[in-house]
Amino acid sequence: TMHRWVGTRDELLTEVMWHLTDRTIQRLHDQVQAAGITPATPELLGRYVQAVAGNTGVLRLQREEPDAFLRLCTTGASAFQRRIVARVAELLTADRAAGHITVDLDIDELAFATVRLLEAYAHAPTLTGQPADPARATRVLRAVLR
């Protein structure tokens, strides 16, 4: 069974969520690069919030199992949090190398803070009961990632 390959239900959910997230980020990265948008990371992550906000699986998990959703997405209880911080660090490193981001923080600190901002807007339905707000996420990320 799937559980034998990946372990617990939480580990299975984490692997599925990460697989879909990584594919989505790569697709959005390609779109932003093709459009020539710089810096790419704020736009890409704003689009990611939009993708999360419209994903029926995410919405269902947020609605039916909000505690599990937050534990798996936003804490060290699963590998998802470490993976998304690492992926955002890669994106920020590329933007910084191109001279598009000049924030004077260690890239890992900046990636962690960026992911926390991203989560606040992407997971707003679970955190605050408000709808996800991709436009606001993009504006805030542009302001922070200068």
Side-chain angles (χ1 to χ4, degrees):
T1 67
M2 294 292 286
H3 287 282
R4 288 184 192 164
W5 291 341
V6 294
T8 67
R9 178 179 182 270
D10 282 0
E11 290 169 325
L12 177 59
L13 285 171
T14 298
E15 289 304 316
V16 170
M17 288 187 311
W18 177 248
H19 175 75
L20 296 172
T21 295
D22 195 42
R23 283 184 36 199
T24 299
I25 289 173
Q26 187 59 53
R27 177 179 50 82
L28 296 172
H29 179 268
D30 294 346
Q31 289 174 1
V32 168
Q33 292 294 311
I37 299 169
T38 57
T41 304
E43 180 68 27
L44 185 157
L45 294 178
R47 292 179 184 199
Y48 173 73
V49 172
Q50 181 72 41
V52 168
N55 184 289
T56 56
V58 169
L59 295 172
R60 182 175 177 190
L61 192 57
Q62 284 178 332
R63 183 180 62 251
E64 294 178 8
E65 298 187 56
D67 292 339
F69 176 78
L70 289 177
R71 184 181 69 253
L72 295 176
C73 291
T74 66
T75 72
S78 77
F80 186 89
Q81 176 73 26
R82 290 184 302 281
R83 289 174 181 173
I84 197 160
V85 170
R87 186 70 162 100
V88 169
E90 291 172 12
L91 298 168
L92 293 169
T93 298
D95 275 346
R96 182 178 275 172
H100 300 299
I101 292 178
T102 59
V103 175
D104 188 24
L105 284 175
D106 173 79
I107 203 70
D108 293 325
E109 289 176 314
L110 184 58
F112 179 79
T114 300
V115 168
R116 286 302 188 193
L117 284 171
L118 172 68
E119 291 166 347
Y121 293 103
H123 306 318
T126 305
L127 295 169
T128 66
Q130 300 297 312
D133 195 338
R136 185 173 287 169
T138 303
R139 282 193 311 274
V140 170
L141 289 166
R142 282 185 192 138
V144 172
L145 301 175
R146 293 178 175 230

